[in-house]
DNA sequence: TGCTTGACGATCA
DNA sequence: GTGATCGCCAAGC
């Protein structure tokens, strides 16, 4: 039972995200069984900065917006990586978001 | 010890 | 469809 929020769980899920795919904080939170843990996931990503072994650029908000791009090495780093994986970024937003969306609670089923 | 902030999400007006 | 508010939990000051 994950009564408490664990960073390791978030990292593991994020690292499982396939190339060219993205997911949302809420999806990870839901997969971990968190209610409104979206913020917790985002907070975990803030701490991931120390580990930086997680493709955090594949984790976006519910709108498919690159909200955390500013937390990367460079604000454009996130978009560069996503475009490099075949994704299309327009105005800091992922195009075909629902097509590239990767839900751990479904894909990892 | 208590208030504010925060890589968010959902709901209401 | 857009804007504003609440909730959620943890860390920082």
């Amino acid at each position: 039972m994950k009564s408490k929020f664990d960073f390791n769980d978030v990292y593991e899920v994020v690292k499982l995200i396939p190339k060219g795919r993205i997911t949302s904080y809420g999806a990870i939170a839901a997969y971990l069984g968190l209610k409104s843990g979206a913020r917790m996931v985002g907070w975990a990503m803030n701490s991931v900065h120390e580990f930086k072994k997680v493709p955090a650029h594949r984790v976006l908000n519910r709108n498919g917006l690159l909200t955390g791009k500013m937390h990367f090495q460079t604000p454009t780093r996130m978009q560069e990586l996503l475009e490099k994986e075949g994704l299309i970024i327009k105005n800091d937003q992922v195009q075909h978001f629902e097509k590239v969306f990767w839900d751990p609670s479904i894909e990892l089923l």
PDB file of all heavy atoms in Angstrom, chain C:
ATOM      1  P    DG C   1     -14.329  24.499 -27.119  1.00  0.00           P
ATOM      2  OP1  DG C   1     -13.971  24.286 -28.454  1.00  0.00           O
ATOM      3  OP2  DG C   1     -13.762  23.714 -26.041  1.00  0.00           O
ATOM      4  O5'  DG C   1     -14.209  26.017 -26.677  1.00  0.00           O
ATOM      5  C5'  DG C   1     -13.958  27.099 -27.551  1.00  0.00           C
ATOM      6  C4'  DG C   1     -13.577  28.304 -26.721  1.00  0.00           C
ATOM      7  O4'  DG C   1     -14.667  28.606 -25.807  1.00  0.00           O
ATOM      8  C3'  DG C   1     -12.338  28.047 -25.863  1.00  0.00           C
ATOM      9  O3'  DG C   1     -11.490  29.190 -25.898  1.00  0.00           O
ATOM     10  C2'  DG C   1     -12.899  27.783 -24.469  1.00  0.00           C
ATOM     11  C1'  DG C   1     -14.171  28.606 -24.450  1.00  0.00           C
ATOM     12  N9   DG C   1     -15.201  27.990 -23.583  1.00  0.00           N
ATOM     13  C8   DG C   1     -15.659  26.702 -23.595  1.00  0.00           C
ATOM     14  N7   DG C   1     -16.566  26.466 -22.705  1.00  0.00           N
ATOM     15  C5   DG C   1     -16.741  27.693 -22.051  1.00  0.00           C
ATOM     16  C6   DG C   1     -17.590  28.057 -20.977  1.00  0.00           C
ATOM     17  O6   DG C   1     -18.400  27.359 -20.359  1.00  0.00           O
ATOM     18  N1   DG C   1     -17.441  29.405 -20.626  1.00  0.00           N
ATOM     19  C2   DG C   1     -16.580  30.269 -21.233  1.00  0.00           C
ATOM     20  N2   DG C   1     -16.569  31.517 -20.754  1.00  0.00           N
ATOM     21  N3   DG C   1     -15.767  29.944 -22.233  1.00  0.00           N
ATOM     22  C4   DG C   1     -15.897  28.638 -22.589  1.00  0.00           C
ATOM     23  P    DT C   2     -10.127  29.275 -25.137  1.00  0.00           P
ATOM     24  OP1  DT C   2      -9.147  29.967 -26.011  1.00  0.00           O
ATOM     25  OP2  DT C   2      -9.806  27.961 -24.567  1.00  0.00           O
ATOM     26  O5'  DT C   2     -10.507  30.267 -23.925  1.00  0.00           O
ATOM     27  C5'  DT C   2     -11.152  31.508 -24.229  1.00  0.00           C
ATOM     28  C4'  DT C   2     -11.389  32.296 -22.945  1.00  0.00           C
ATOM     29  O4'  DT C   2     -12.490  31.713 -22.209  1.00  0.00           O
ATOM     30  C3'  DT C   2     -10.174  32.298 -21.999  1.00  0.00           C
ATOM     31  O3'  DT C   2      -9.940  33.612 -21.502  1.00  0.00           O
ATOM     32  C2'  DT C   2     -10.578  31.344 -20.884  1.00  0.00           C
ATOM     33  C1'  DT C   2     -12.087  31.490 -20.861  1.00  0.00           C
ATOM     34  N1   DT C   2     -12.809  30.290 -20.372  1.00  0.00           N
ATOM     35  C2   DT C   2     -13.752  30.449 -19.379  1.00  0.00           C
ATOM     36  O2   DT C   2     -14.018  31.541 -18.886  1.00  0.00           O
ATOM     37  N3   DT C   2     -14.379  29.300 -18.978  1.00  0.00           N
ATOM     38  C4   DT C   2     -14.162  28.021 -19.463  1.00  0.00           C
ATOM     39  O4   DT C   2     -14.797  27.080 -19.012  1.00  0.00           O
ATOM     40  C5   DT C   2     -13.149  27.925 -20.503  1.00  0.00           C
ATOM     41  C7   DT C   2     -12.832  26.589 -21.096  1.00  0.00           C
ATOM     42  C6   DT C   2     -12.542  29.049 -20.902  1.00  0.00           C
ATOM     43  P    DG C   3      -8.660  33.874 -20.532  1.00  0.00           P
ATOM     44  OP1  DG C   3      -8.088  35.210 -20.836  1.00  0.00           O
ATOM     45  OP2  DG C   3      -7.781  32.687 -20.512  1.00  0.00           O
ATOM     46  O5'  DG C   3      -9.394  33.976 -19.107  1.00  0.00           O
ATOM     47  C5'  DG C   3     -10.499  34.871 -18.957  1.00  0.00           C
ATOM     48  C4'  DG C   3     -10.939  34.913 -17.492  1.00  0.00           C
ATOM     49  O4'  DG C   3     -11.762  33.767 -17.199  1.00  0.00           O
ATOM     50  C3'  DG C   3      -9.774  34.888 -16.495  1.00  0.00           C
ATOM     51  O3'  DG C   3     -10.018  35.817 -15.443  1.00  0.00           O
ATOM     52  C2'  DG C   3      -9.766  33.451 -15.974  1.00  0.00           C
ATOM     53  C1'  DG C   3     -11.220  33.037 -16.109  1.00  0.00           C
ATOM     54  N9   DG C   3     -11.412  31.609 -16.382  1.00  0.00           N
ATOM     55  C8   DG C   3     -10.751  30.835 -17.305  1.00  0.00           C
ATOM     56  N7   DG C   3     -11.137  29.585 -17.335  1.00  0.00           N
ATOM     57  C5   DG C   3     -12.121  29.531 -16.364  1.00  0.00           C
ATOM     58  C6   DG C   3     -12.920  28.436 -15.929  1.00  0.00           C
ATOM     59  O6   DG C   3     -12.923  27.274 -16.329  1.00  0.00           O
ATOM     60  N1   DG C   3     -13.793  28.807 -14.915  1.00  0.00           N
ATOM     61  C2   DG C   3     -13.886  30.063 -14.383  1.00  0.00           C
ATOM     62  N2   DG C   3     -14.780  30.230 -13.413  1.00  0.00           N
ATOM     63  N3   DG C   3     -13.155  31.102 -14.771  1.00  0.00           N
ATOM     64  C4   DG C   3     -12.303  30.759 -15.765  1.00  0.00           C
ATOM     65  P    DA C   4      -8.977  35.916 -14.211  1.00  0.00           P
ATOM     66  OP1  DA C   4      -8.914  37.333 -13.822  1.00  0.00           O
ATOM     67  OP2  DA C   4      -7.734  35.168 -14.534  1.00  0.00           O
ATOM     68  O5'  DA C   4      -9.752  35.119 -13.057  1.00  0.00           O
ATOM     69  C5'  DA C   4     -11.129  35.403 -12.832  1.00  0.00           C
ATOM     70  C4'  DA C   4     -11.672  34.549 -11.694  1.00  0.00           C
ATOM     71  O4'  DA C   4     -11.923  33.201 -12.156  1.00  0.00           O
ATOM     72  C3'  DA C   4     -10.712  34.431 -10.491  1.00  0.00           C
ATOM     73  O3'  DA C   4     -11.440  34.543  -9.273  1.00  0.00           O
ATOM     74  C2'  DA C   4     -10.122  33.034 -10.651  1.00  0.00           C
ATOM     75  C1'  DA C   4     -11.257  32.266 -11.311  1.00  0.00           C
ATOM     76  N9   DA C   4     -10.825  31.130 -12.135  1.00  0.00           N
ATOM     77  C8   DA C   4      -9.866  31.128 -13.103  1.00  0.00           C
ATOM     78  N7   DA C   4      -9.695  29.960 -13.683  1.00  0.00           N
ATOM     79  C5   DA C   4     -10.613  29.144 -13.044  1.00  0.00           C
ATOM     80  C6   DA C   4     -10.940  27.791 -13.187  1.00  0.00           C
ATOM     81  N6   DA C   4     -10.359  26.971 -14.073  1.00  0.00           N
ATOM     82  N1   DA C   4     -11.903  27.275 -12.389  1.00  0.00           N
ATOM     83  C2   DA C   4     -12.493  28.081 -11.504  1.00  0.00           C
ATOM     84  N3   DA C   4     -12.275  29.373 -11.273  1.00  0.00           N
ATOM     85  C4   DA C   4     -11.311  29.843 -12.091  1.00  0.00           C
ATOM     86  P    DT C   5     -10.653  34.503  -7.843  1.00  0.00           P
ATOM     87  OP1  DT C   5     -11.236  35.540  -6.977  1.00  0.00           O
ATOM     88  OP2  DT C   5      -9.197  34.499  -8.129  1.00  0.00           O
ATOM     89  O5'  DT C   5     -11.049  33.065  -7.269  1.00  0.00           O
ATOM     90  C5'  DT C   5     -12.427  32.685  -7.240  1.00  0.00           C
ATOM     91  C4'  DT C   5     -12.583  31.295  -6.644  1.00  0.00           C
ATOM     92  O4'  DT C   5     -12.266  30.292  -7.628  1.00  0.00           O
ATOM     93  C3'  DT C   5     -11.669  31.027  -5.431  1.00  0.00           C
ATOM     94  O3'  DT C   5     -12.439  30.456  -4.374  1.00  0.00           O
ATOM     95  C2'  DT C   5     -10.645  30.040  -5.948  1.00  0.00           C
ATOM     96  C1'  DT C   5     -11.383  29.333  -7.065  1.00  0.00           C
ATOM     97  N1   DT C   5     -10.501  28.845  -8.149  1.00  0.00           N
ATOM     98  C2   DT C   5     -10.614  27.521  -8.542  1.00  0.00           C
ATOM     99  O2   DT C   5     -11.404  26.739  -8.042  1.00  0.00           O
ATOM    100  N3   DT C   5      -9.771  27.147  -9.550  1.00  0.00           N
ATOM    101  C4   DT C   5      -8.842  27.933 -10.194  1.00  0.00           C
ATOM    102  O4   DT C   5      -8.133  27.469 -11.086  1.00  0.00           O
ATOM    103  C5   DT C   5      -8.777  29.300  -9.732  1.00  0.00           C
ATOM    104  C7   DT C   5      -7.792  30.239 -10.357  1.00  0.00           C
ATOM    105  C6   DT C   5      -9.603  29.681  -8.746  1.00  0.00           C
ATOM    106  P    DC C   6     -11.761  30.093  -2.981  1.00  0.00           P
ATOM    107  OP1  DC C   6     -12.701  30.430  -1.908  1.00  0.00           O
ATOM    108  OP2  DC C   6     -10.380  30.624  -2.957  1.00  0.00           O
ATOM    109  O5'  DC C   6     -11.680  28.487  -3.066  1.00  0.00           O
ATOM    110  C5'  DC C   6     -12.868  27.747  -3.320  1.00  0.00           C
ATOM    111  C4'  DC C   6     -12.582  26.256  -3.358  1.00  0.00           C
ATOM    112  O4'  DC C   6     -11.848  25.932  -4.548  1.00  0.00           O
ATOM    113  C3'  DC C   6     -11.755  25.742  -2.170  1.00  0.00           C
ATOM    114  O3'  DC C   6     -12.312  24.533  -1.684  1.00  0.00           O
ATOM    115  C2'  DC C   6     -10.376  25.527  -2.762  1.00  0.00           C
ATOM    116  C1'  DC C   6     -10.672  25.216  -4.218  1.00  0.00           C
ATOM    117  N1   DC C   6      -9.612  25.620  -5.171  1.00  0.00           N
ATOM    118  C2   DC C   6      -9.182  24.713  -6.129  1.00  0.00           C
ATOM    119  O2   DC C   6      -9.676  23.592  -6.175  1.00  0.00           O
ATOM    120  N3   DC C   6      -8.222  25.095  -6.997  1.00  0.00           N
ATOM    121  C4   DC C   6      -7.703  26.318  -6.933  1.00  0.00           C
ATOM    122  N4   DC C   6      -6.762  26.646  -7.809  1.00  0.00           N
ATOM    123  C5   DC C   6      -8.139  27.261  -5.960  1.00  0.00           C
ATOM    124  C6   DC C   6      -9.087  26.875  -5.106  1.00  0.00           C
ATOM    125  P    DG C   7     -11.712  23.849  -0.384  1.00  0.00           P
ATOM    126  OP1  DG C   7     -12.830  23.306   0.424  1.00  0.00           O
ATOM    127  OP2  DG C   7     -10.744  24.779   0.238  1.00  0.00           O
ATOM    128  O5'  DG C   7     -10.898  22.603  -0.982  1.00  0.00           O
ATOM    129  C5'  DG C   7     -11.527  21.709  -1.908  1.00  0.00           C
ATOM    130  C4'  DG C   7     -10.552  20.642  -2.370  1.00  0.00           C
ATOM    131  O4'  DG C   7      -9.707  21.182  -3.407  1.00  0.00           O
ATOM    132  C3'  DG C   7      -9.604  20.165  -1.253  1.00  0.00           C
ATOM    133  O3'  DG C   7      -9.459  18.755  -1.302  1.00  0.00           O
ATOM    134  C2'  DG C   7      -8.297  20.857  -1.557  1.00  0.00           C
ATOM    135  C1'  DG C   7      -8.342  20.993  -3.064  1.00  0.00           C
ATOM    136  N9   DG C   7      -7.565  22.118  -3.571  1.00  0.00           N
ATOM    137  C8   DG C   7      -7.516  23.396  -3.060  1.00  0.00           C
ATOM    138  N7   DG C   7      -6.716  24.192  -3.719  1.00  0.00           N
ATOM    139  C5   DG C   7      -6.208  23.384  -4.719  1.00  0.00           C
ATOM    140  C6   DG C   7      -5.283  23.689  -5.747  1.00  0.00           C
ATOM    141  O6   DG C   7      -4.726  24.762  -5.977  1.00  0.00           O
ATOM    142  N1   DG C   7      -5.029  22.581  -6.556  1.00  0.00           N
ATOM    143  C2   DG C   7      -5.596  21.342  -6.398  1.00  0.00           C
ATOM    144  N2   DG C   7      -5.228  20.408  -7.260  1.00  0.00           N
ATOM    145  N3   DG C   7      -6.459  21.050  -5.442  1.00  0.00           N
ATOM    146  C4   DG C   7      -6.721  22.108  -4.641  1.00  0.00           C
ATOM    147  P    DC C   8      -8.917  18.029   0.044  1.00  0.00           P
ATOM    148  OP1  DC C   8     -10.062  17.480   0.775  1.00  0.00           O
ATOM    149  OP2  DC C   8      -8.037  19.002   0.736  1.00  0.00           O
ATOM    150  O5'  DC C   8      -8.036  16.824  -0.461  1.00  0.00           O
ATOM    151  C5'  DC C   8      -7.659  16.664  -1.810  1.00  0.00           C
ATOM    152  C4'  DC C   8      -6.147  16.714  -1.998  1.00  0.00           C
ATOM    153  O4'  DC C   8      -5.795  17.983  -2.579  1.00  0.00           O
ATOM    154  C3'  DC C   8      -5.321  16.673  -0.702  1.00  0.00           C
ATOM    155  O3'  DC C   8      -4.898  15.339  -0.429  1.00  0.00           O
ATOM    156  C2'  DC C   8      -4.100  17.524  -1.013  1.00  0.00           C
ATOM    157  C1'  DC C   8      -4.429  18.224  -2.301  1.00  0.00           C
ATOM    158  N1   DC C   8      -4.261  19.687  -2.232  1.00  0.00           N
ATOM    159  C2   DC C   8      -3.593  20.348  -3.264  1.00  0.00           C
ATOM    160  O2   DC C   8      -3.160  19.707  -4.211  1.00  0.00           O
ATOM    161  N3   DC C   8      -3.434  21.696  -3.195  1.00  0.00           N
ATOM    162  C4   DC C   8      -3.905  22.368  -2.139  1.00  0.00           C
ATOM    163  N4   DC C   8      -3.736  23.675  -2.118  1.00  0.00           N
ATOM    164  C5   DC C   8      -4.591  21.698  -1.073  1.00  0.00           C
ATOM    165  C6   DC C   8      -4.743  20.370  -1.153  1.00  0.00           C
ATOM    166  P    DC C   9      -4.340  14.983   1.036  1.00  0.00           P
ATOM    167  OP1  DC C   9      -4.478  13.535   1.232  1.00  0.00           O
ATOM    168  OP2  DC C   9      -4.937  15.931   2.003  1.00  0.00           O
ATOM    169  O5'  DC C   9      -2.778  15.341   0.933  1.00  0.00           O
ATOM    170  C5'  DC C   9      -1.945  14.611   0.047  1.00  0.00           C
ATOM    171  C4'  DC C   9      -0.556  15.209   0.012  1.00  0.00           C
ATOM    172  O4'  DC C   9      -0.598  16.552  -0.511  1.00  0.00           O
ATOM    173  C3'  DC C   9       0.119  15.300   1.385  1.00  0.00           C
ATOM    174  O3'  DC C   9       1.383  14.706   1.308  1.00  0.00           O
ATOM    175  C2'  DC C   9       0.222  16.794   1.643  1.00  0.00           C
ATOM    176  C1'  DC C   9       0.251  17.388   0.260  1.00  0.00           C
ATOM    177  N1   DC C   9      -0.264  18.779   0.151  1.00  0.00           N
ATOM    178  C2   DC C   9       0.463  19.705  -0.602  1.00  0.00           C
ATOM    179  O2   DC C   9       1.513  19.353  -1.128  1.00  0.00           O
ATOM    180  N3   DC C   9       0.005  20.971  -0.732  1.00  0.00           N
ATOM    181  C4   DC C   9      -1.149  21.308  -0.152  1.00  0.00           C
ATOM    182  N4   DC C   9      -1.569  22.556  -0.323  1.00  0.00           N
ATOM    183  C5   DC C   9      -1.912  20.388   0.619  1.00  0.00           C
ATOM    184  C6   DC C   9      -1.438  19.135   0.738  1.00  0.00           C
ATOM    185  P    DA C  10       2.261  14.507   2.651  1.00  0.00           P
ATOM    186  OP1  DA C  10       2.628  13.095   2.741  1.00  0.00           O
ATOM    187  OP2  DA C  10       1.580  15.184   3.774  1.00  0.00           O
ATOM    188  O5'  DA C  10       3.576  15.336   2.288  1.00  0.00           O
ATOM    189  C5'  DA C  10       4.122  15.190   0.985  1.00  0.00           C
ATOM    190  C4'  DA C  10       5.139  16.278   0.695  1.00  0.00           C
ATOM    191  O4'  DA C  10       4.476  17.515   0.349  1.00  0.00           O
ATOM    192  C3'  DA C  10       6.060  16.597   1.887  1.00  0.00           C
ATOM    193  O3'  DA C  10       7.397  16.687   1.447  1.00  0.00           O
ATOM    194  C2'  DA C  10       5.551  17.942   2.386  1.00  0.00           C
ATOM    195  C1'  DA C  10       4.994  18.581   1.119  1.00  0.00           C
ATOM    196  N9   DA C  10       3.901  19.533   1.392  1.00  0.00           N
ATOM    197  C8   DA C  10       2.804  19.349   2.188  1.00  0.00           C
ATOM    198  N7   DA C  10       1.989  20.381   2.239  1.00  0.00           N
ATOM    199  C5   DA C  10       2.608  21.309   1.408  1.00  0.00           C
ATOM    200  C6   DA C  10       2.257  22.613   1.033  1.00  0.00           C
ATOM    201  N6   DA C  10       1.153  23.243   1.455  1.00  0.00           N
ATOM    202  N1   DA C  10       3.075  23.275   0.180  1.00  0.00           N
ATOM    203  C2   DA C  10       4.171  22.653  -0.255  1.00  0.00           C
ATOM    204  N3   DA C  10       4.613  21.421   0.032  1.00  0.00           N
ATOM    205  C4   DA C  10       3.772  20.805   0.875  1.00  0.00           C
ATOM    206  P    DA C  11       8.568  16.864   2.463  1.00  0.00           P
ATOM    207  OP1  DA C  11       9.620  15.911   2.131  1.00  0.00           O
ATOM    208  OP2  DA C  11       8.016  16.939   3.821  1.00  0.00           O
ATOM    209  O5'  DA C  11       9.073  18.330   2.011  1.00  0.00           O
ATOM    210  C5'  DA C  11       9.260  18.579   0.629  1.00  0.00           C
ATOM    211  C4'  DA C  11       9.719  20.013   0.397  1.00  0.00           C
ATOM    212  O4'  DA C  11       8.617  20.923   0.527  1.00  0.00           O
ATOM    213  C3'  DA C  11      10.795  20.505   1.358  1.00  0.00           C
ATOM    214  O3'  DA C  11      11.707  21.327   0.653  1.00  0.00           O
ATOM    215  C2'  DA C  11      10.005  21.285   2.385  1.00  0.00           C
ATOM    216  C1'  DA C  11       8.871  21.863   1.567  1.00  0.00           C
ATOM    217  N9   DA C  11       7.624  22.075   2.293  1.00  0.00           N
ATOM    218  C8   DA C  11       7.004  21.208   3.162  1.00  0.00           C
ATOM    219  N7   DA C  11       5.880  21.670   3.663  1.00  0.00           N
ATOM    220  C5   DA C  11       5.757  22.925   3.067  1.00  0.00           C
ATOM    221  C6   DA C  11       4.772  23.927   3.178  1.00  0.00           C
ATOM    222  N6   DA C  11       3.699  23.821   3.943  1.00  0.00           N
ATOM    223  N1   DA C  11       4.945  25.059   2.463  1.00  0.00           N
ATOM    224  C2   DA C  11       6.032  25.162   1.702  1.00  0.00           C
ATOM    225  N3   DA C  11       7.020  24.295   1.508  1.00  0.00           N
ATOM    226  C4   DA C  11       6.807  23.183   2.238  1.00  0.00           C
ATOM    227  P    DG C  12      12.982  21.912   1.344  1.00  0.00           P
ATOM    228  OP1  DG C  12      14.106  21.788   0.412  1.00  0.00           O
ATOM    229  OP2  DG C  12      13.089  21.386   2.727  1.00  0.00           O
ATOM    230  O5'  DG C  12      12.569  23.451   1.447  1.00  0.00           O
ATOM    231  C5'  DG C  12      12.129  24.128   0.262  1.00  0.00           C
ATOM    232  C4'  DG C  12      11.836  25.603   0.584  1.00  0.00           C
ATOM    233  O4'  DG C  12      10.556  25.718   1.219  1.00  0.00           O
ATOM    234  C3'  DG C  12      12.873  26.226   1.517  1.00  0.00           C
ATOM    235  O3'  DG C  12      13.221  27.536   1.044  1.00  0.00           O
ATOM    236  C2'  DG C  12      12.150  26.299   2.864  1.00  0.00           C
ATOM    237  C1'  DG C  12      10.688  26.428   2.447  1.00  0.00           C
ATOM    238  N9   DG C  12       9.741  25.856   3.415  1.00  0.00           N
ATOM    239  C8   DG C  12       9.786  24.613   3.986  1.00  0.00           C
ATOM    240  N7   DG C  12       8.792  24.368   4.795  1.00  0.00           N
ATOM    241  C5   DG C  12       8.034  25.530   4.769  1.00  0.00           C
ATOM    242  C6   DG C  12       6.830  25.868   5.449  1.00  0.00           C
ATOM    243  O6   DG C  12       6.170  25.177   6.240  1.00  0.00           O
ATOM    244  N1   DG C  12       6.405  27.151   5.134  1.00  0.00           N
ATOM    245  C2   DG C  12       7.036  27.997   4.274  1.00  0.00           C
ATOM    246  N2   DG C  12       6.478  29.194   4.109  1.00  0.00           N
ATOM    247  N3   DG C  12       8.166  27.700   3.630  1.00  0.00           N
ATOM    248  C4   DG C  12       8.604  26.452   3.912  1.00  0.00           C
ATOM    249  P    DC C  13      14.341  28.344   1.862  1.00  0.00           P
ATOM    250  OP1  DC C  13      15.133  29.126   0.894  1.00  0.00           O
ATOM    251  OP2  DC C  13      15.031  27.436   2.790  1.00  0.00           O
ATOM    252  O5'  DC C  13      13.457  29.363   2.715  1.00  0.00           O
ATOM    253  C5'  DC C  13      12.460  30.155   2.053  1.00  0.00           C
ATOM    254  C4'  DC C  13      11.781  31.086   3.058  1.00  0.00           C
ATOM    255  O4'  DC C  13      10.780  30.346   3.782  1.00  0.00           O
ATOM    256  C3'  DC C  13      12.735  31.687   4.096  1.00  0.00           C
ATOM    257  O3'  DC C  13      12.454  33.071   4.319  1.00  0.00           O
ATOM    258  C2'  DC C  13      12.456  30.884   5.344  1.00  0.00           C
ATOM    259  C1'  DC C  13      10.994  30.529   5.182  1.00  0.00           C
ATOM    260  N1   DC C  13      10.603  29.291   5.863  1.00  0.00           N
ATOM    261  C2   DC C  13       9.432  29.273   6.637  1.00  0.00           C
ATOM    262  O2   DC C  13       8.744  30.296   6.712  1.00  0.00           O
ATOM    263  N3   DC C  13       9.065  28.144   7.270  1.00  0.00           N
ATOM    264  C4   DC C  13       9.816  27.041   7.164  1.00  0.00           C
ATOM    265  N4   DC C  13       9.418  25.954   7.800  1.00  0.00           N
ATOM    266  C5   DC C  13      11.023  27.033   6.392  1.00  0.00           C
ATOM    267  C6   DC C  13      11.373  28.169   5.771  1.00  0.00           C
TER     268       DC C  13
END
